[in-house]
Amino acid sequence: MLKHKIYIDKKESTTLKGIAILLIIWGHIHSLDIIGLNVYHYHLAQFFILPFFYNRTQNLTWDSLKKNLISCFIPYTVFFIFCCIISYIALGTKWQWWEYILGYFNAPGYETKQICGFVFPWFLLCYFFVLLYLSITNKYKWFAVIPILVGCICCVDFQNFTWNSLFRNDPFMLIRASYYFLMGTIAVFLFKYIPYFRILGTMLFVILMVLMYKGIMWDNFIYGITGFAFFWQLSYWLKEIRFLNFIGKHSLYIYLTNVFIINALSLFIPYTILGGLIICFLTIII
């Protein structure tokens, strides 16, 4: 348990994905956060940091690029078209063809909800570009300077610069991907050069959660890295639980289902604890 390791094995990785997707479902439904842990501050970071700890190199090849394009852009595109059709039929929204194109490119922005009636799974695009930056860096080390520099700029004034401005005007999440690339890079550095950082990070995360419960907030960057240490340690203890392994293997499908259900039912179900439980239940059974 206390072994100083930098790479995560496949079973722990799958379990961690299962835990992370549960956190995402919880984080998407703020009405369920009755104990004030604000999981949306660190739930997505787990997926973005995880590829940095695989015991294999993200190679910059056409096959790897095609695989990532298919797994990220095809679900995103299909989801966009489907939502536009539903929005047109159910809500009667009508836009010019070029407005649909702009909505597709700027889908991370909440303005896109005016186009297709839904807030979009920006995670898919951001994840694709994190993997792309990582692949390019593995082949051309100097390239890492670019996303790291952009990520540092985002950290300077994170709330005003990134979330408010770039969340609405960051085509395909190119810039936010730099932020998470920086987070993954620093996480690798800490795990590599600080012995037993998984244990130290776990302890720090628990302390941060206690402080958060008391209303003392820190930066999402710290939550993301220490949270990864905590959930990696948790996945070590829970890796034999079949349910977590199952949802970890199907995390993409569960994520898309959850996003769709949240948007679709937001028109009919009140934003209460009961409404949140209904959304969770439907996400799991579907």
Side-chain angles (χ1 to χ4, degrees):
M1 181 179 69
L2 295 178
K3 184 180 179 181
H4 177 52
K5 57 186 286 191
I6 248 206
Y7 298 116
I8 187 169
D9 63 46
K10 186 174 182 180
K11 201 162 190 177
E12 290 176 11
S13 171
T14 304
T15 304
L16 198 154
K17 287 181 181 178
I19 296 172
I21 198 63
L22 291 178
L23 290 173
I24 288 177
I25 294 173
W26 186 6
H28 281 169
I29 309 168
H30 303 301
S31 59
L32 292 183
D33 194 14
I34 56 179
I35 57 178
L37 290 183
N38 301 314
V39 296
Y40 54 87
H41 284 294
Y42 49 83
H43 62 341
L44 282 171
Q46 311 314 310
F47 278 103
F48 292 118
I49 297 176
L50 189 57
F52 289 81
F53 289 84
Y54 290 150
N55 192 16
R56 64 180 186 272
T57 303
Q58 288 285 339
N59 294 317
L60 185 61
T61 64
W62 169 243
D63 288 339
S64 64
L65 181 62
K66 183 172 63 175
K67 178 182 177 182
N68 293 333
L69 276 170
I70 291 173
S71 62
C72 293
F73 270 83
I74 288 184
Y76 172 81
T77 303
V78 171
F79 196 87
F80 180 86
I81 295 173
F82 177 75
C83 290
C84 285
I85 294 173
I86 295 297
S87 179
Y88 179 82
I89 296 174
L91 304 177
T93 55
K94 298 179 180 179
W95 301 90
Q96 298 294 327
W97 63 269
W98 56 269
E99 291 177 301
Y100 284 106
I101 294 177
L102 289 177
Y104 179 82
F105 277 91
N106 195 40
Y110 276 103
E111 300 91 344
T112 308
K113 191 168 186 177
Q114 300 174 1
I115 301 293
C116 64
F118 291 83
V119 176
F120 257 65
W122 59 268
F123 163 81
L124 292 175
L125 304 184
C126 192
Y127 186 73
F128 169 79
F129 282 105
V130 169
L131 294 181
L132 181 61
Y133 296 162
L134 188 56
S135 298
I136 297 175
T137 298
N138 287 333
K139 187 169 184 178
Y140 306 104
K141 301 299 182 183
W142 59 266
F143 179 82
V145 175
I146 299 175
I148 287 176
L149 179 60
V150 175
C152 289
I153 293 174
C154 293
C155 290
V156 172
D157 190 4
F158 188 73
Q159 291 296 327
N160 294 325
F161 183 68
T162 306
W163 289 118
N164 293 337
S165 300
L166 295 182
F167 193 72
R168 293 171 171 80
N169 302 288
D170 183 10
F172 289 151
M173 303 308 295
L174 289 167
I175 298 178
R176 188 176 300 191
S178 298
Y179 172 81
Y180 285 112
F181 180 88
L182 174 65
M183 185 182 292
T185 301
I186 293 179
V188 169
F189 180 86
L190 293 173
F191 274 84
K192 185 174 183 179
Y193 294 105
I194 299 180
Y196 311 115
F197 182 78
R198 185 165 54 151
I199 303 301
L200 296 175
T202 295
M203 296 169 61
L204 181 56
F205 183 74
V206 172
I207 294 173
L208 290 173
M209 290 300 97
V210 173
L211 293 175
M212 182 184 287
Y213 178 76
K214 294 181 178 295
I216 303 174
M217 302 293 294
W218 292 75
D219 189 85
N220 289 355
F221 205 90
I222 300 176
Y223 291 137
I225 294 176
T226 58
F228 183 78
F230 175 84
F231 293 114
W232 185 357
Q233 185 60 43
L234 193 61
S235 69
Y236 172 83
W237 291 326
L238 304 179
K239 61 184 177 182
E240 300 302 329
I241 297 180
R242 293 183 178 180
F243 173 71
L244 290 177
N245 280 274
F246 176 80
I247 62 175
K249 292 177 181 177
H250 300 86
S251 55
L252 174 59
Y253 170 79
I254 295 172
Y255 170 75
L256 292 173
T257 302
N258 180 245
V259 171
F260 178 78
I261 290 176
I262 288 174
N263 284 281
L265 296 188
S266 63
L267 301 174
F268 313 103
I269 296 179
Y271 207 66
T272 61
I273 294 177
L274 178 60
L277 290 174
I278 292 174
I279 291 174
C280 284
F281 176 75
L282 290 176
T283 299
I284 294 173
I285 65 172
I286 292 178

